[in-house]
């Protein structure tokens, strides 16, 4: 599902509510359960507009927030697959990063955050992937590759919520939810 609309319409707020980071009125359920009673870490993998990277290796950042990961061949392969799907396959899993991903470009940091969300899905830690403007720092070719990856994961069973201003995102969406900004009377 693509969520689109002008800046300020509430797209990122919807994702914040899903994560439990914003209160909301009304009902939001998952498999018949009120979201307010569910721990997002048990079902949601997300990448926000700010990558939230930490000091450590690319592997550490891709696997952050998942189940404790022993660096086995299988764990390495899953992290490499997540990087590949996120169009960051040029990054070495052993590459050391500084605070907030220092040592990466903005686009690379964004793709590592997307790889983290993909990794949570691939490892079975989440079945909903929420991405907030994941292609904002990408060139058109990389964006096209990323959209193919998102579509591949959706076709494999992931429920995907995609927030994007890019019209190219419409090409991969099964449905589009268009938000409009509310005007508040003075």
């Amino acid at each position: 599902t693509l969520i689109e609309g002008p800046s300020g319409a509430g797209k990122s707020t919807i994702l914040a509510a899903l994560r439990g980071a914003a209160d909301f009125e009304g009902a939001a359920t998952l498999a018949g359960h009120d979201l307010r009673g569910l721990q997002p870490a048990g079902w949601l993998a997300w990448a926000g507009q700010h990558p939230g990277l930490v000091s450590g290796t690319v592997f550490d950042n891709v696997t952050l927030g998942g189940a404790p990961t022993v660096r086995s061949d299988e764990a390495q392969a899953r992290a490499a697959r997540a990087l590949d799907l996120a169009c960051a396959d040029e990054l070495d899993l052993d590459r050391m990063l500084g605070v907030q991903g220092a040592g990466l470009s903005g686009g690379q940091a964004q793709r590592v955050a997307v790889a983290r969300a993909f990794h949570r899905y691939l490892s079975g830690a989440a079945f909903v992937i929420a991405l907030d403007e994941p292609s904002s720092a990408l060139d058109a070719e990389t964006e096209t590759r990323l959209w193919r990856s998102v579509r591949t994961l959706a076709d494999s069973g992931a429920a995907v919520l995609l927030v994007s201003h890019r019209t190219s995102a419409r090409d991969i969406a099964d449905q589009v939810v268009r938000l409009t900004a509310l005007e508040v009377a003075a």
Side-chain angles (χ1 to χ4, degrees):
T1 299
L2 171 64
I3 303 169
E4 64 178 18
S7 294
K11 301 177 303 293
S12 296
T13 303
I14 289 172
L15 298 187
L18 291 176
R19 295 189 338 266
D23 291 329
F24 62 91
E25 294 179 21
T29 61
L30 180 67
H33 300 281
D34 187 325
L35 285 184
R36 293 174 189 92
L38 299 176
Q39 290 298 318
W43 60 274
L44 181 66
W46 78 283
Q49 293 184 30
H50 305 286
L53 303 183
V54 299
S55 295
T57 65
V58 169
F59 177 86
D60 296 336
N61 277 277
V62 169
T63 61
L64 183 69
T69 304
V70 176
R71 200 148 175 193
S72 64
D73 290 344
E74 180 182 341
Q76 291 265 124
R78 187 178 306 115
R81 173 77 174 132
L83 280 174
D84 182 51
L85 286 166
C87 307
D89 47 321
E90 80 280 5
L91 297 176
D92 187 322
L93 288 169
D94 293 322
R95 182 175 179 171
M96 287 299 296
L97 306 178
V99 176
Q100 296 182 15
L104 296 177
S105 70
Q108 287 172 322
Q110 183 179 46
R111 288 179 285 147
V112 169
V114 170
R116 178 186 304 147
F118 290 172
H119 181 270
R120 286 186 45 73
Y121 172 74
L122 293 171
S123 65
F127 56 92
V128 175
I129 300 171
L131 305 173
D132 194 353
E133 298 290 353
S135 69
S136 63
L138 303 182
D139 60 75
E141 182 180 328
T142 306
E143 178 183 71
T144 298
R145 284 182 54 215
L146 179 63
W147 291 159
R148 270 196 307 267
S149 293
V150 170
R151 184 72 250 178
T152 295
L153 292 171
D155 290 342
S156 76
V160 179
L161 295 173
L162 174 62
V163 169
S164 182
H165 283 103
R166 305 284 183 105
T167 57
S168 60
R170 287 179 151 260
D171 295 338
I172 63 160
D174 291 324
Q175 57 189 347
V176 177
V177 175
R178 174 107 180 122
L179 302 181
T180 57
L182 293 177
E183 294 193 27
V184 180

